[in-house]
Amino acid sequence: MNIAVVGGGIVGVASAYELAARGVEVTLLERGSLGAGSTDRALGGIRSQFSTRVNVEFSVASIEVWDLFEERFGTDIDRRRTGYLFCTRDADTADAFADQVAMQNEYGVSSRLVDPAEATELCPGLRSEEFVAATYCPADSFADPHLALQGYAGAAREAGVEIRTNTAVSGLDPRESGVRVGLANGESLTVDYAVNAAGAWAPRLAETAGYDLPIVPHRRQTAVVDPERPVPESDPLVIDADTTAHFRPERDGRAVVGGHFATDDPVADADRFSEKADTDWAVEAVERVGEFTDYFGPESRLAGGWAGLYAVTPDHHAIVEESVPGVVTAAGFSGHGFQHAPATAKVVAELVVDGEASTVDVSDLDRGRFDRGETVTERNVA
């Protein structure tokens, strides 16, 4: 069996590895360098505190891989387990937190409800009077996406994957004899299956294969900040669930600050967007996190920042399916692609080799759910 994986981000590279591990002949095609799309601009969060069962299942299955990544792939991904702390001022959201923790616990996740006083113990700089409830999972963590990608890429090469960078794909043409993969240089190859793991660019590729994907690229920004008071490296990643403003500790007392505050921020062309963080946005982000923590006062200084793309679906869940005969889609993770890549890769291999997924039940992640009105929106998006 011959497979072409289109997309050299971590979802594509991990999928190529898992396919090759199943004995499949794999060619990975990336128009630029590995990770140049969204992976190298990801924050690297790895968490289980999601609001829907399918996302929790993806997290649990992925964390099984992340926990053994260095042992399995020989790569230290600089993983730090400081936990995630979600906070809210809203009574309805607090009730939802309770339901979510109960559901997460069913899957063995060690999340728990915490009151504002305990939240302050977890994050000494938190202004606990701002909130009525919080949830915390000590096992939540973050890692270096670039190092993780390189770990997967090395393993993929060792497993026999041919990785072709600077190789743009012009289109997919599913036929009875296989899928013809056209390359921008005029060449083509015919494979048994193609995997569309092109992230924010996946809708373009889907269109060439005769199907639509309701995925829209959204620009998301990150600021690196020298706060007024150093953020301890032991602090969790803290998220204001009401505004999406969040921060996590960096080295030497610095912090990484984020949040999306625009009501609508789609990118018209995924090839043309500013990769630098906007100063006005960064100032707002620091002001917002300064409203609920005493680390970020008027003496805080911007030390850098960047912007990347989320591939967003209407319900903030991925599309993972065989979209048309011979073409498997794994895209639209709405900011969760890095952390869910290990489980996604296994599912992709199962769809191709076995004809159905077993690691995670993805029957509700087909694109037809939007036409059927059978969606459940992920609430815990940061």
Side-chain angles (χ1 to χ4, degrees), residues 56 67 72-73 112 128-129 152 201 228 242 259 262 273 312 317 322 331 352:
V56 173
D67 283 347
R72 181 176 177 185
F73 295 99
R112 66 178 190 269
S128 60
E129 68 274 10
Y152 264 123
W201 296 264
E228 188 171 88
D242 305 324
F273 72 97
V312 179
H317 286 85
E322 183 171 355
V352 171

Side-chain angles (χ1 to χ4, degrees), residues 25-105:
E25 185 176 334
V26 184
T27 301
L28 184 136
L29 305 166
E30 163 56 43
R31 66 175 189 164
S33 58
L34 295 183
S38 294
T39 298
D40 280 350
R41 297 182 182 88
L43 275 177
I46 300 172
R47 62 179 166 102
S48 298
Q49 291 187 84
F50 285 92
S51 67
T52 66
R53 289 181 178 274
V54 68
N55 273 341
V56 173
E57 289 181 37
F58 265 103
S59 290
V60 170
S62 293
I63 288 171
E64 291 178 359
V65 178
W66 292 126
D67 283 347
L68 298 173
F69 197 89
E70 183 173 1
E71 176 183 337
R72 181 176 177 185
F73 295 99
T75 301
D76 179 359
I77 58 175
D78 192 24
R79 189 170 173 206
R80 287 181 274 171
R81 296 172 174 84
T82 61
Y84 271 50
L85 180 69
F86 281 84
C87 304
T88 185
R89 306 166 186 81
D90 182 76
D92 290 339
T93 302
D95 290 341
F97 276 0
D99 292 339
Q100 291 167 21
V101 166
M103 178 268 291
Q104 293 158 8
N105 292 167

Side-chain angles (χ1 to χ4, degrees), residues 48-49 100-102 104-105 108-113 135-138 140:
S48 298
Q49 291 187 84
Q100 291 167 21
V101 166
Q104 293 158 8
N105 292 167
V109 176
S110 58
S111 57
R112 66 178 190 269
L113 290 169
T135 68
Y136 175 67
C137 180
D140 289 346

